[in-house]
Amino acid sequence: MHKRFTVRPIPYSDESFIGFVLRVAKVNGYKKLSHIFGVIDLPFLITTLEISSNMFQKLINKLAPFLLLKPDALFKQFSETQCLYFDEHRGIKKINLQAPHICISCFQAGDAYLKQDWQLAHHTHCEVHCSQLQSACPCCKTSFTWNTYLFDGCAKCGLRWVDVSMLNGGDIPLYQAMLNRLTGMPRENYLRGLYKALIHASRPSDYLTVSLNRFPELGGCAHKYFDKAYALLSAPAFRQRTKCELNHHLASHLTSIKTCDLAALNYPACNLSALQLPYNDDDSIEPLPAQVDFLPKIIRKNLSNKLVAPVLSLLSDEQAAKLIGLTPSQLNELARNKGIESIINSSQHVYSLNQVDNWLTNIIKTASPSVNINKGLSICINEIDKLGEKYLCSFAETFSLLLREKLPLFDIEKNNKLTGIYVNRLQLQSLLQENTNRQFNTLLSKSVLSKFFCIREHKISLLAKVFEWESVAVNRVKSAYKPQDIKSFFESHIVLDKWCEERVYPKSSLYQYLNDHNVRPVANTIDERWVLHVFEKSAKLFQVIDSFEKDWLKSKAPRHLPYGFNKIQPNFYKQASSVHRINHEMLSRQFPLTL
C-alpha cells in the first residue's frame, strides 16, 4: 500500500486543522475523521487534533508523508493558526469548540472550507456575511458532527446548503470586532478579560471565582452571553449596577444575611481589568439564565437538593466565613465534620449562600437575646477553639459539644453573626473537662499535646523520652504518639503548667509551696538541666494543693482574686448599689476628742 493519499489538498492560510483533515477525508472518499486515523495507523481521539495535545506532533509526523509535505512545514502552518486556542492563564483555558460551527452562506459559494476562526468560541459571526454561525441544521435542528456531509448539507434530514435562504446580518458584534483592532499582548489581555467576564455573565449570582479547562457548548445563545461579558468588561458603571441589583435580589430571599453583608463581599465582576474599550450605553442587556455548565465538573456533580435555592449563589470559604463570623479554617473544619454542607472543589470548600443563611439563622434562633451578660465571664463562639484545644477538642468538636449538651447561648451584639453570640466560659470549660477522656482516640502530635499540657514542644519530646511514650511516624519528618500512653500518663500524673492554667494562680507559687512541704516532681533522668514540673497523683499531693489554695485565698484581697475562685461569691465582682457617706458630726458627738 502506498503511503500517500491520491488527492492531496493544500491547506488554506486561515483553515482550521480539524477542518483540513476533514477536507482531506472528503476529497479521498472517506466519511469520517476516524477513517483518516485508521489510514495513518493512529488511535482516534478528537483531542489529538488540538495543538495543546501531547499527541499533536505525532499526528503531524504521521500525516505529513501521506500528503507529501514536510512535518515541520505542516506543523508551522497550523501551530500559528491555533495559537489562540489554548492559554493556561485564561479563565477558560481552551476556547476552541468541539462541535463544528459553519457559515452556510460561505458553503453556498462552493469550494468552502472550515476556517480556524469559526472554532473560536467568541467568533460567533461570519466576518464576510455578518451572519451568525450555525452549529445545527436550520431545518431539523440536529447538531453538526465531524463528517464529510458537513460540506454539502445535513446528514440527517438531507437538506442541501444551496437550497437554504440565508439572510445576511447587520454589524459584527463589538466583542468580536475588537479582535481585529488588537494584536500581540493587548489582544491576549483582552481575551483573558473577556472570558473572565463571560464566566461572571453566565453565573451572575455567584461570588465564587472559578476557572474552566474548556469552553462549554452554549449553542445559538452564545452571542448573548458574550454581549453581556463585553458590557461587564468595558463599562464599570454596568458592573456596579449589576452588583447592587444582585445584592438586593439575593437579600430578599434570605433571613439573617442582609444587603449590607453582601455588599461587603468581593464581587468578582468588579475586579475585571480596567481596559479602555468602546461601549454603547444605550444597548440594553436582557436578563439571561444562569448556566450550570460554567461550573467545574465536580461542583456540577455534587450539587444536591439541599444546595438548591430560588437563586443558587455559590461562595468561597473566605466569603462564607465572613458572612457567618468565623475564619475560613473554622468553617471548613465544620464542613469536614458535617456541621454544615459544602462541596469540595480541588481541595477548596464551596458553599451555597442559601445554605449558609439557613445554618446561621438556626444558630441565632437558639441564642437568647441579652444585654446584661458580662463579656468578661463569657467567650465568643468564634474563640471557643482557643479553649477547646486545651482539652484536645478542635473548633468543630467544641462547637458540636456545646450544641449537643444545649449550653445556653446569648446574642449580645445582635449583629446576625457568630461574633455576637457568646457562651458562659466556666460552663463550657467544665463540659470540656468532663469530655477529655473521650478525646484519646487518635494519634496525638507534639503541637496538639503542647496546647493540651500548656508547655512547649521541646518539653513534650522530653516527657516522651522520660515516660517512654510510643511514637508513630506520620510522614518523613513528623511523628505522633499513641493515645493510650498519653491517657495513662494523664490519669496518673499532674502537669503543673496545665493545672495552674485551669485554676489561674501562679505556677511558681504552687511549685515553691509543694517543695516546702516535701512534695517533689518526677525526676528528669534524661536531661537534668530541665525541671519537668510533673507530679505523680497521690493523696498527699492533693492535700498539699488544697492547703495551698486556702492559704493563697486568705492572702489575696477579694477584688484581686481571679474569677475562677469567685464563681460562688459573685459579690466580689459587684459594686455597692449605694455609697453611704460618713457623718463626721455624729462621730464627733459620740466620740469626743479629749486632750
Side-chain angles (χ1 to χ4, degrees):
M1 180 180 178
H2 298 289
K3 290 189 176 182
R4 62 184 181 182
F5 292 118
T6 304
V7 182
R8 299 178 294 278
I10 301 298
Y12 294 99
S13 59
D14 59 343
E15 187 173 15
S16 68
F17 182 64
I18 189 170
F20 172 67
V21 176
L22 191 64
R23 190 159 63 91
V24 170
K26 182 179 185 299
V27 297
N28 285 277
Y30 300 106
K31 294 182 179 180
K32 298 180 180 180
L33 292 172
S34 57
H35 296 161
I36 296 295
F37 276 72
V39 172
I40 64 177
D41 192 25
L42 198 66
F44 175 68
L45 286 174
I46 193 70
T47 54
T48 306
L49 295 156
E50 300 174 4
I51 192 172
S52 58
S53 170
N54 296 329
M55 294 291 292
F56 183 77
Q57 183 63 60
K58 187 174 182 179
L59 173 61
I60 293 291
N61 295 337
K62 288 271 191 178
L63 182 63
F66 283 85
L67 299 171
L68 298 183
L69 296 173
K70 293 182 179 180
D72 292 342
L74 188 62
F75 179 83
K76 183 179 179 181
Q77 168 76 27
F78 291 105
S79 63
E80 293 178 355
T81 60
Q82 293 196 56
C83 62
L84 295 178
Y85 282 11
F86 178 80
D87 183 357
E88 62 180 3
H89 301 293
R90 198 162 45 211
I92 303 178
K93 296 179 181 179
K94 296 180 181 179
I95 59 174
N96 58 306
L97 301 169
Q98 291 184 300
H101 286 60
I102 65 171
C103 173
I104 294 180
S105 297
C106 288
F107 276 22
Q108 288 175 339
D111 196 24
Y113 60 95
L114 290 161
K115 298 181 180 180
Q116 63 98 8
D117 285 345
W118 293 355
Q119 293 311 118
L120 292 170
H122 58 266
H123 201 97
T124 57
H125 290 68
C126 175
E127 298 279 355
V128 177
H129 301 96
C130 299
S131 58
Q132 186 177 343
L133 299 179
Q134 304 296 316
S135 61
C137 173
C139 180
C140 65
K141 308 302 180 184
T142 302
S143 298
F144 296 145
T145 57
W146 294 106
N147 60 60
T148 55
Y149 292 111
L150 185 63
F151 293 97
D152 302 312
C154 177
K156 185 174 182 180
C157 68
L159 177 68
R160 302 293 91 183
W161 303 143
V162 293
D163 300 329
V164 178
S165 297
M166 295 297 296
L167 296 176
N168 293 343
D171 297 330
I172 298 295
L174 205 51
Y175 60 82
Q176 182 177 327
M178 282 301 301
L179 286 170
N180 299 327
R181 308 178 189 178
L182 300 173
T183 57
M185 186 56 68
R187 185 182 190 183
E188 187 174 320
N189 292 334
Y190 168 72
L191 281 177
R192 290 176 181 176
L194 181 65
Y195 279 94
K196 184 177 180 180
L198 180 67
I199 295 176
H200 304 315
S202 61
R203 301 286 310 170
S205 60
D206 288 348
Y207 292 83
L208 175 71
T209 301
V210 299
S211 60
L212 302 175
N213 288 324
R214 180 176 289 280
F215 184 87
E217 185 63 48
L218 287 176
C221 63
H223 65 284
K224 297 180 181 179
Y225 287 94
F226 274 108
D227 280 334
K228 187 173 182 179
Y230 184 82
L232 288 172
L233 183 63
S234 59
F238 179 73
R239 293 200 292 264
Q240 291 296 331
R241 186 168 69 250
T242 301
K243 178 183 178 181
C244 293
E245 292 174 354
L246 173 66
N247 291 342
H248 284 89
H249 180 60
L250 291 176
S252 64
H253 294 89
L254 303 174
T255 304
S256 297
I257 299 174
K258 306 302 179 184
T259 305
C260 58
D261 299 323
L262 296 174
L265 295 181
N266 182 22
Y267 188 56
C270 294
N271 297 329
L272 295 171
S273 302
L275 303 179
Q276 299 297 325
L277 299 171
Y279 175 63
N280 186 2
D281 291 331
D282 296 333
D283 290 342
S284 58
I285 305 298
E286 60 180 297
L288 299 172
Q291 293 289 333
V292 179
D293 291 338
F294 273 81
L295 290 174
K297 184 177 179 180
I298 190 169
I299 295 182
R300 299 198 309 268
K301 183 179 178 181
N302 289 282
L303 280 177
S304 64
N305 293 330
K306 293 182 179 180
L307 291 179
V308 174
V311 180
L312 178 61
S313 180
L314 298 181
L315 307 167
S316 67
D317 53 357
E318 185 176 350
Q319 293 165 339
K322 187 175 182 179
L323 292 175
I324 292 175
L326 297 175
T327 64
S329 60
Q330 289 173 335
L331 181 60
N332 292 337
E333 191 179 304
L334 279 175
R336 288 192 294 269
N337 285 268
K338 308 301 180 183
I340 185 172
E341 186 157 349
S342 72
I343 298 172
I344 298 180
N345 175 37
S346 301
S347 73
Q348 179 190 19
H349 287 265
V350 177
Y351 299 87
S352 163
L353 177 61
N354 182 66
Q355 181 69 17
V356 168
D357 181 68
N358 290 340
W359 184 87
L360 182 59
T361 301
N362 292 334
I363 298 299
I364 294 175
K365 284 182 179 178
T366 60
S368 303
S370 177
V371 294
N372 298 323
I373 301 299
N374 189 341
K375 287 187 179 180
L377 312 181
S378 305
I379 183 171
C380 185
I381 290 297
N382 64 354
E383 296 178 350
I384 59 175
D385 53 342
K386 298 176 182 178
L387 185 60
E389 65 190 10
K390 298 178 181 179
Y391 301 94
L392 300 179
C393 282
S394 64
F395 172 80
E397 291 171 331
T398 307
F399 189 70
S400 61
L401 182 63
L402 70 87
L403 290 181
R404 186 171 63 250
E405 298 298 329
K406 298 181 180 179
L407 286 187
L409 301 178
F410 304 98
D411 190 358
I412 297 179
E413 298 183 5
K414 299 179 181 179
N415 58 1
N416 287 339
K417 291 184 179 181
L418 294 189
T419 52
I421 308 295
Y422 286 75
V423 63
N424 186 280
R425 180 187 295 270
L426 281 179
Q427 290 181 353
L428 180 59
Q429 183 174 347
S430 176
L431 190 62
L432 289 168
Q433 288 174 341
E434 296 173 2
N435 186 68
T436 302
N437 285 333
R438 302 189 188 98
Q439 296 302 113
F440 296 100
N441 51 14
T442 184
L443 293 175
L444 301 170
S445 64
K446 290 181 183 179
S447 60
V448 171
L449 291 176
S450 174
K451 296 171 183 176
F452 176 58
F453 288 118
C454 305
I455 58 178
R456 296 183 180 181
E457 290 190 20
H458 74 89
K459 282 199 173 183
I460 295 295
S461 302
L462 201 58
L463 286 176
K465 294 177 182 178
V466 172
F467 293 95
E468 298 180 350
W469 296 344
E470 187 173 352
S471 176
V472 177
V474 178
N475 51 42
R476 293 183 178 180
V477 295
K478 291 185 178 181
S479 60
Y481 301 104
K482 287 192 173 183
Q484 297 85 352
D485 294 344
I486 308 301
K487 184 178 181 180
S488 176
F489 168 80
F490 178 69
E491 291 175 346
S492 58
H493 294 80
I494 285 178
V495 178
L496 216 57
D497 303 76
K498 181 176 181 62
W499 180 272
C500 294
E501 177 71 21
E502 293 176 351
R503 286 151 184 84
V504 288
Y505 45 67
K507 183 186 76 170
S508 57
S509 300
L510 176 58
Y511 181 70
Q512 184 63 42
Y513 193 90
L514 291 172
N515 276 335
D516 293 343
H517 290 76
N518 296 319
V519 180
R520 307 299 182 202
V522 175
N524 185 355
T525 58
I526 303 299
D527 190 348
E528 296 180 354
R529 295 175 300 172
W530 298 96
V531 178
L532 294 180
H533 298 119
V534 175
F535 293 83
E536 189 173 354
K537 289 183 179 180
S538 64
K540 183 180 179 180
L541 173 66
F542 290 115
Q543 183 180 359
V544 174
I545 291 178
D546 186 58
S547 176
F548 165 78
E549 291 182 352
K550 291 178 181 178
D551 292 344
W552 189 75
L553 286 172
K554 292 177 182 177
S555 66
K556 295 291 182 181
R559 64 180 180 276
H560 293 151
L561 294 177
Y563 175 68
F565 289 99
N566 289 311
K567 54 189 176 183
I568 304 177
Q569 300 98 340
N571 291 331
F572 288 165
Y573 267 84
K574 291 187 176 180
Q575 295 180 353
S577 57
S578 61
V579 178
H580 299 281
R581 296 187 178 183
I582 299 175
N583 192 331
H584 295 279
E585 184 179 352
M586 182 178 291
L587 286 176
S588 62
R589 289 199 301 268
Q590 293 178 358
F591 305 100
L593 181 63
T594 58
L595 297 176

